[in-house]
Amino acid sequence: MSETILLIEDNENNRYLATYLLQARGWTVVHAVDGASGLALAAATPPALILLDIQLPEMDGYEVARRLKADAALAAVPIVAVTSYAMRNDRETALAAGCQGYIEKPIDPETFVDSVEAHLRPQHRRKPA
Ligand code: MN
């Protein structure tokens, strides 16, 4: 059972905050700074969940999500889009690309991890303490 979350995010400050919050809740966080390396990492070790920035250099997050969903070995891994795009259309595009959820930046430290964990498959959910 994977206890790893893959974070695909090109902004160092955003990576730092998300990683800090997730690690505080016991998650191992693996990073990729662009779509191609994120896809390679996901294929090498399928994570429990993928947090996906939409605004990435070269391949955008929508394309990353489509490629993940096209891979039979990874299609079941939940993807949560994280984006500062404010337009409602971006949420719909993220969901159409295969993302299960959508979190807006700036992330709220009070609710971020709960929002992420809400999208985990049952076998990766934490038992209440
Ligand atoms: Mn970005």
Side-chain angles (χ1 to χ4, degrees):
M1 182 170 97
S2 174
E3 296 294 340
T4 297
I5 289 179
L6 170 59
L7 173 60
I8 306 175
E9 165 66 78
D10 63 321
N11 180 278
E12 184 177 1
N13 292 330
N14 293 337
R15 274 202 310 275
Y16 180 86
L17 178 58
T19 300
Y20 172 83
L21 295 168
L22 290 164
Q23 287 179 340
R25 294 274 282 264
W27 291 99
T28 298
V29 182
V30 175
H31 298 138
V33 299
D34 59 52
S37 56
L39 290 167
L41 273 173
T45 311
L49 180 144
I50 297 168
L51 274 170
L52 178 61
D53 180 29
I54 295 300
Q55 293 172 290
L56 291 167
E58 321 236 343
M59 187 191 310
D60 71 20
Y62 302 130
E63 180 61 21
V64 175
R66 287 183 203 107
R67 293 191 189 196
L68 288 165
K69 290 299 162 187
D71 183 332
L74 296 172
V77 177
I79 304 170
V80 177
V82 186
T83 178
S84 53
Y85 282 2
M87 295 189 301
R88 176 179 167 77
N89 185 47
D90 294 306
R91 176 189 174 88
E92 290 160 1
T93 306
L95 298 179
C99 299
Q100 271 71 24
Y102 180 98
I103 295 174
E104 288 185 4
K105 294 179 195 170
I107 64 175
D108 179 351
E110 296 288 323
T111 60
F112 176 70
V113 179
D114 286 339
S115 298
V116 172
E117 290 182 342
H119 297 289
L120 289 164
R121 286 179 288 166
Q123 64 266 40
H124 292 126
R125 295 220 178 103
R126 306 307 180 74
K127 291 189 171 66

